[in-house]
Amino acid sequence: MIRFAVSRSDGHYTGFTCEGHAGFGEEGQDIVCSAVSALTINTVNSIEALTEDGFEVVQSEDGGYLKLTLTDVPSDSTTLLMDSLVLGIQNISESYGEDYIQIIE
């Protein structure tokens, strides 16, 4: 199961943690893992490329762990990117079920 936790403080995003594997399909064929990976990695890349907000990233080599920590109060652009990430993760959870992804807020 994938566990996706989004962090907030004083109404602002402070980051997210995504860990685990969905187990929806065989390794390399798991569309739930692929979708979550695409969303989370794209969010990190978009914050880096499209904003000037500071952040730190920790990830595992096997792809089963990604943590983004925003180091300052996020800009409106980063907030929108994080809103989009959360919406996408919620849609995946609704489509494929809570057996494969758990959202913690």
Side-chain angles (χ1 to χ4, degrees), residues 6-15 43 46-47 50-53 68 70 72-87:
V6 63
S7 310
R8 300 174 201 253
S9 177
D10 297 325
H12 299 284
Y13 288 108
T14 58
T43 298
S46 295
I47 291 170
L50 303 174
T51 78
E52 295 183 11
D53 292 356
L68 169 80
L70 299 168
D72 297 308
V73 173
S75 65
D76 290 344
S77 296
T78 294
T79 299
L80 181 61
L81 291 166
M82 291 291 293
D83 285 343
S84 179
L85 170 64
V86 171
L87 178 64

Side-chain angles (χ1 to χ4, degrees), residues 56-72:
E56 297 172 357
V57 173
V58 176
Q59 61 185 13
S60 66
E61 290 184 26
D62 73 349
Y65 181 83
L66 177 64
K67 180 177 182 176
L68 169 80
T69 303
L70 299 168
T71 56
D72 297 308

Side-chain angles (χ1 to χ4, degrees), residues 1-2 92-103:
M1 172 185 290
I2 294 172
I92 293 168
S93 179
E94 290 169 8
S95 294
Y96 291 95
E98 294 178 359
D99 290 340
Y100 301 106
I101 183 164
Q102 176 185 25
I103 301 171

